[in-house]
Amino acid sequence: MFPGLGVIADRLRTAARVTVMTGAGISAASGVPTFRGPGGLWRSFRPEELATADAFRRDSTLVWEWYDWRRGLIATCLPNAAHEVLARWSQRDGFTLITQNVDGLHERAGTKDTIRFHGSLWRLRCWDECGRPEWEDRTVPIAPLPPRCPDCGGLARPAVVWFGEPIDPRILHACDAALDCDIFLSIGTSSVVYPAAGLVHTAKRRGAFAVEINPQTTDVASSIDLAIPHPAETALPALDALLTSAVG
Ligand code: BV8
Ligand code: ZN
């Protein structure tokens, strides 16, 4: 058993409010490339170069080819043991899952009320903002590419938050409430992208016990009470086993 898991299990047993933030690392074991890890580059582009409104304005076909490639890859992936543990925990009162991932694997694992901080690449909206609400589209491959808005015929764009774009105020509001928690777990994120990376600091300031599950130490180490330097797909099932064994 990993050192420190017992301490977290004890706190999880008594915690009324548990908030989890996940990043690309939780989907690594499912075969989804992380952003900064190997495979994060597409052709020679860094995500920050393609995930912007400017890049889309310059070449919407190129940006859509990237999103189509990611959708095609993710469509072949399954949620892993880490997603499944969090899906089970999401059924308990006082639990909130916030994810930076746009891959939809938490939802596919059955997680209740996932807060999609950066949107979903399975949802589209109108680039010309004609008023049509965002819609779900799971077609792989996308055809025609680029896809069009069914209402105005203009370009459609992925319903994700691009660099330089604000987080949806409703999402920020929902997250703010969840930062009043007893324990905050930061799982599989490099904590480089803001404002997502700032949430753990706010939770900590509000009295939460902050935990990081990540094989690497990240930039939020200063706010972390306990770091579990192990992959999520092994640490979370081990933690869950500790929780259920005590109950059994
Ligand atoms: C905004 C959707 C303003 C799109 C994404 C403050 C300081 C510095 C910069 C900024 C700042 N504030 C704002 C900025 C600019 C920018 C930013 O943060 N830039 C960074 C690069 C420095 N932020 C923005 O632009 C944000 N918007 O600020 O708007 C504004 C305000 C009002 C009005 C107008 C404008 C919007 C940012 C959102 C961008 N969109 N995604 C898409 O996906 O296509 S971000 C995207 O990258 C992901 O969603 C995620 O957030 C991020 C990747 O990070 P991670 O998920 O953590 O992945 P990464 O690969 O980095 O790390 C993986 C980790 O997992 C590693 O640590 C690894 O060790 C670990 N790991 C690996 N295997 C495992 C594991 N862990 C556990 N188990 C394993 N098995
Ligand atoms: Zn439209």
Side-chain angles (χ1 to χ4, degrees):
M1 187 186 66
F2 309 124
L5 280 190
V7 173
I8 303 171
D10 292 345
R11 284 180 175 270
L12 281 171
R13 266 185 227 104
T14 55
R17 310 209 50 203
V18 176
T19 299
V20 173
M21 161 66 90
T22 64
I26 201 166
S27 295
S30 297
V32 181
T34 63
F35 274 66
R36 284 172 186 75
L41 280 183
W42 178 75
R43 297 182 187 169
S44 61
F45 297 97
R46 285 181 313 106
E48 286 89 350
E49 291 170 290
L50 292 165
T52 68
D54 287 347
F56 193 82
R57 211 169 277 114
R58 262 195 315 274
D59 188 343
S60 58
T61 301
L62 176 72
V63 171
W64 264 117
E65 283 169 351
W66 180 49
Y67 279 97
D68 194 39
W69 171 74
R70 291 170 70 190
R71 288 162 53 108
L73 191 151
I74 291 164
T76 66
C77 298
L78 293 173
N80 63 60
H83 295 111
E84 279 147 20
V85 166
L86 295 179
R88 271 200 306 281
W89 291 3
S90 73
Q91 312 308 322
R92 75 184 251 178
D93 291 347
F95 181 93
T96 305
L97 180 90
I98 306 167
T99 188
Q100 297 168 67
N101 301 343
V102 296
D103 59 26
L105 290 180
H106 282 300
E107 295 90 327
R108 278 174 59 198
T111 306
K112 202 160 132 276
D113 307 334
T114 304
I115 299 181
R116 293 192 286 256
F117 204 75
H118 291 156
S120 170
L121 45 65
W122 299 112
R123 301 180 68 78
L124 278 56
R125 68 169 186 265
C126 179
W127 169 248
D128 300 325
E129 297 176 348
C130 71
R132 181 191 170 89
E134 69 175 52
W135 64 97
E136 182 165 281
D137 175 316
R138 291 185 167 272
T139 50
V140 171
I142 289 173
L145 191 151
R148 296 274 156 185
C149 168
D151 284 15
C152 72
L155 273 176
R157 58 161 284 175
V160 297
V161 180
W162 279 332
F163 289 95
E165 294 185 326
I167 306 300
D168 180 327
R170 290 162 300 178
I171 297 266
L172 285 179
H173 182 71
C175 289
D176 187 66
L179 298 182
D180 295 322
C181 55
D182 304 297
I183 189 165
F184 185 99
L185 292 107
S186 178
I187 305 175
T189 180
S190 59
S191 298
V192 166
V193 172
Y194 282 78
L199 300 190
V200 63
H201 301 298
T202 308
K204 178 78 185 147
R205 271 198 308 279
R206 295 184 188 174
F209 184 80
V211 172
E212 180 171 61
I213 299 181
N214 189 325
Q216 312 291 329
T217 305
T218 73
D219 297 1
V220 296
S222 60
S223 270
I224 294 297
D225 296 292
L226 192 51
I228 305 291
H230 295 282
E233 65 275 14
T234 49
L236 281 172
L239 191 49
D240 191 50
L242 268 183
L243 280 176
T244 39
S245 62
V247 178

